[in-house]
Amino acid sequence: MTKSDQKRFTQAIIRKGIHGHTMTENGGEYRERVLTMDTMNPNVKRVEYAVRGPIVQRAVQIERELKMGIKKPFTEVIKANIGDCHAMGQKPITFFRQVLALCSYPDLLEDSKFPEDAKSRARRILQACGGGSLGAYSTSQGIEMIRQDIARYIERRDGGITCDPDNIYLSTGASDAIVTMLKLLVSGKGMSRSGVMISIPQYPLYSAALAELAAVQINYYLDEDNCWSLDISELQRALQEAKKHCSPRALCIINPGNPTGQVQSRQCIEDVIRFAAAEKLFLMADEVYQDNVYADGCKFHSFKKVLFEMGLEYSEKVELASFHSTSKCYMGECGFRGGYMEVVNLDPEVKVQLTKLVSVRLCPPVIGQALLDVVVNPPQPDEPSYDTFIKERTDTLAALAEKANMTQEILNQVPGIKCNPVQGAMYTFPRIHLPPKAILEAKEKGQTPDMFYCMKLLEETGICLVPGSGFGQRDGTYHFRMTILPPKEKLKIVLAKIKEFHQHFMEQYS
């Protein structure tokens, strides 16, 4: 035993004491911890977030091992598990970064290298900030000028339908607003406990938030055989089943879809709104991928636009919260945590409570608010930055469309993998056939079969994907979620490695 080992052994005996009591090093009795796994909030233990779960933690470990010189059958880990655009090589939009740089360091307003339209945006934003600085708190709901700009943006997007800036709440990304809305919706105990309908597959934010809030998760399944479409009869089935053990109160829709990449038709959205109205459900529309639409014949329709075009019977009745973010689309500015929520038909007294709730966190990141303002107020045709902005925006979306098509084409060439068209968003969610022998070995290891598959893929190729079980899937089916964000040449390598791995995996376990 080394001297350091002896010291640690002696210290352990001192802490434990000769009769097993926990002692301090100076002989006093050591107080047991107040917060333990037994005493902590049990709801937190039920929270799972697959996008940054065990497989991602292992990927980080492997990266460290590579840096230490440990030999692997690959030279880098490719994280295709998360929609982190810039981490995957997507370039920032020049105009956005220019305005943020000017806002962050106003001395640059005297620099001739910056175009005048960027300077005018920056001056306007700074004038709306306390003390003319991004470092000042804003109002809890967000800077009023920026909420006004967002309202005008929504009106343009939706063909002139009125938007009240007082119904806009800025947030720390869309996720923060979604969780805030769920907090307002959840109440009751036993049979009266709130139930929230979420799609399966779903983005794990929803299941995690519902677990933390001790709400009832009501699963409705998207139709994989019909390009992950939403069937109203499936909504009805899920609702009727849920009424036996909870009080359904809300319906969450992700359009375009994450992780499934489908884009809902206008007819589908109308059907969903009628369903929500008939069943008295609060609608939550997650629309953060609204610019990410690639497939021919597909078009983004906002829930608010469709709601108001359906007439007063719906536009004055259905309660709706819709969400958007600067983290996706062509912006991809995940780290600035800019987002907003618009509420429609919210009870005025509840709205007071919503404003109170967001005030507890003081305000969303002001730099994220500034970014939002530039996103909804981009360069115009008569301004110097317009041509560059349009080219960067167009090129980014065109590259994503090309990669979406390439991904589904290559994956569908692999026996045992079936991939629906990536109509929108930034992901594919292909179904994988796994042999019984592999399923058995996974169970022996205490893993879900698709986790077993993805972990082996990571260890053998360095490619990090998320197993479908982290998003939900029908029993007996297996999937993985993969982002289409890597640069085209790197994405080709990823797809080739997946193809080779899957063929070898099938041979190994056949």
Side-chain angles (χ1 to χ4, degrees):
M1 184 181 290
T2 66
K3 288 185 178 180
S4 60
D5 288 337
Q6 288 176 334
K7 183 178 180 181
R8 282 196 295 271
F9 182 69
T10 304
Q11 287 173 338
I13 293 175
I14 292 170
R15 282 196 301 272
K16 197 68 181 172
I18 56 174
H19 298 297
H21 296 295
T22 306
M23 308 289 288
T24 64
E25 290 187 21
N26 59 12
E29 190 164 343
Y30 181 79
R31 180 167 164 250
E32 291 185 6
R33 297 185 196 280
V34 172
L35 183 61
T36 68
M37 289 296 289
D38 292 329
T39 62
M40 70 176 286
N41 183 344
N43 295 329
V44 174
K45 287 189 278 188
R46 289 193 282 270
V47 171
E48 294 183 5
Y49 191 64
V51 175
R52 297 197 176 198
I55 199 159
V56 183
Q57 293 163 15
R58 176 58 187 146
V60 172
Q61 289 176 345
I62 291 174
E63 283 183 318
R64 291 198 193 106
E65 291 170 5
L66 286 170
K67 288 178 181 177
M68 292 166 58
I70 297 174
K71 296 297 181 185
K72 303 282 182 184
F74 47 87
T75 57
E76 67 171 333
V77 172
I78 302 175
K79 293 179 181 174
N81 62 296
I82 193 167
D84 192 349
C85 306
H86 293 177
M88 287 284 98
Q90 183 173 310
K91 299 299 182 186
I93 298 295
T94 301
F95 185 75
F96 295 167
R97 288 298 183 92
Q98 286 174 332
V99 175
L100 291 182
L102 291 162
C103 288
S104 301
Y105 190 59
D107 286 0
L108 292 175
L109 287 164
E110 306 305 319
D111 193 321
S112 61
K113 289 194 292 290
F114 288 83
E116 281 305 314
D117 50 352
K119 290 181 179 180
S120 66
R121 297 293 196 290
R123 290 190 188 100
R124 185 169 175 266
I125 291 167
L126 289 172
Q127 286 169 4
C129 295
S133 172
L134 289 186
Y137 287 128
S138 76
T139 58
S140 298
Q141 197 169 336
I143 294 171
E144 183 177 359
M145 182 203 76
I146 296 176
R147 288 188 285 114
Q148 291 171 349
D149 287 349
I150 291 170
R152 302 295 82 79
Y153 160 81
I154 291 172
E155 289 177 351
R156 293 193 302 272
R157 182 197 68 184
D158 293 343
I161 294 167
T162 301
C163 178
D164 184 350
D166 197 46
N167 289 336
I168 303 292
Y169 286 77
L170 304 193
S171 57
T172 308
S175 302
D176 179 50
I178 291 166
V179 173
T180 297
M181 223 40 244
L182 288 173
K183 285 180 180 178
L184 287 175
L185 283 159
V186 170
S187 66
K189 295 181 179 180
M191 285 288 292
S192 68
R193 195 161 55 130
S194 297
V196 178
M197 302 184 72
I198 65 172
S199 62
I200 298 296
Q202 54 103 23
Y203 178 52
L205 165 70
Y206 291 91
S207 56
L210 294 176
E212 185 179 352
L213 295 169
V216 177
Q217 177 179 316
I218 304 170
N219 295 339
Y220 66 88
Y221 290 89
L222 301 176
D223 186 353
E224 183 173 10
D225 292 333
N226 287 296
C227 205
W228 298 111
S229 62
L230 195 164
D231 191 325
I232 297 300
S233 64
E234 169 59 15
L235 287 181
Q236 198 67 54
R237 178 208 64 77
L239 183 74
Q240 295 308 317
E241 183 66 29
K243 284 180 177 179
K244 299 174 185 177
H245 56 86
C246 71
S247 176
R249 301 190 71 192
L251 169 59
C252 300
I253 307 286
I254 308 174
N255 179 50
N258 176 11
T260 44
Q262 87 284 3
V263 179
Q264 289 184 0
S265 68
R266 183 189 170 96
Q267 183 61 55
C268 177
I269 294 171
E270 288 183 7
D271 291 343
V272 168
I273 289 171
R274 291 189 188 96
F275 174 80
E279 300 295 345
K280 296 180 172 60
L281 293 171
F282 191 106
L283 262 178
M284 295 177 62
D286 182 338
E287 299 175 333
V288 303
Y289 297 98
Q290 57 190 256
D291 290 318
N292 297 109
V293 177
Y294 318 121
D296 290 340
C298 290
K299 181 181 178 182
F300 170 75
H301 301 276
S302 80
F303 266 78
K304 184 190 176 186
K305 181 177 189 287
V306 176
L307 174 66
F308 276 77
E309 290 179 347
M310 289 174 68
L312 297 178
E313 177 186 358
Y314 298 100
S315 64
E316 292 188 347
K317 177 180 179 182
V318 175
E319 296 156 85
L320 169 70
S322 55
F323 310 91
H324 195 19
S325 166
T326 61
S327 299
K328 310 302 177 185
C329 299
Y330 64 94
M331 302 85 74
E333 296 281 13
C334 302
F336 285 109
R337 310 307 300 131
Y340 74 79
M341 162 177 67
E342 182 188 9
V343 294
V344 174
N345 293 325
L346 195 64
D347 183 297
E349 292 183 358
V350 173
K351 196 173 173 192
V352 171
Q353 297 301 311
L354 170 59
T355 304
K356 178 185 73 176
L357 188 57
V358 299
S359 72
V360 173
R361 290 196 290 274
L362 296 178
C363 71
V366 175
I367 196 165
Q369 295 185 49
L371 174 60
L372 253 175
D373 191 69
V374 194
V375 169
V376 302
N377 191 17
Q380 298 303 301
D382 60 344
E383 293 183 309
S385 299
Y386 179 77
D387 290 342
T388 299
F389 168 76
I390 290 297
K391 184 180 188 307
E392 290 177 345
R393 182 184 188 277
T394 303
D395 288 352
T396 298
L397 292 174
L400 286 167
E402 183 181 6
K403 290 186 287 188
N405 188 57
M406 182 178 74
T407 298
Q408 71 196 41
E409 282 188 357
I410 293 176
L411 288 178
N412 279 325
Q413 294 170 7
V414 184
I417 297 182
K418 181 184 178 184
C419 181
N420 273 318
V422 183
Q423 296 176 329
M426 297 175 172
Y427 316 97
T428 182
F429 197 70
R431 183 169 174 174
I432 50 176
H433 171 73
L434 300 181
K437 187 177 175 183
I439 295 171
L440 180 62
E441 185 170 332
K443 289 179 180 177
E444 288 172 352
K445 292 178 177 291
Q447 296 178 339
T448 60
D450 44 14
M451 171 63 86
F452 174 72
Y453 176 94
C454 288
M455 195 64 82
K456 281 185 73 68
L457 176 72
L458 174 64
E459 297 286 355
E460 294 180 21
T461 69
I463 297 169
C464 180
L465 307 178
V466 190
S469 50
F471 299 87
Q473 55 198 350
R474 286 191 180 276
D475 289 345
T477 68
Y478 308 106
H479 302 78
F480 60 75
R481 188 188 82 159
M482 182 185 113
T483 178
I484 62 170
L485 287 171
K488 182 179 176 181
E489 294 309 312
K490 183 169 282 190
L491 183 60
K492 284 181 179 177
I493 294 170
V494 169
L495 293 168
K497 284 189 172 185
I498 291 173
K499 180 178 181 179
E500 182 182 357
F501 169 82
H502 188 83
Q503 291 169 338
H504 174 70
F505 185 91
M506 296 296 286
E507 291 169 4
Q508 182 180 356
Y509 289 99
S510 61

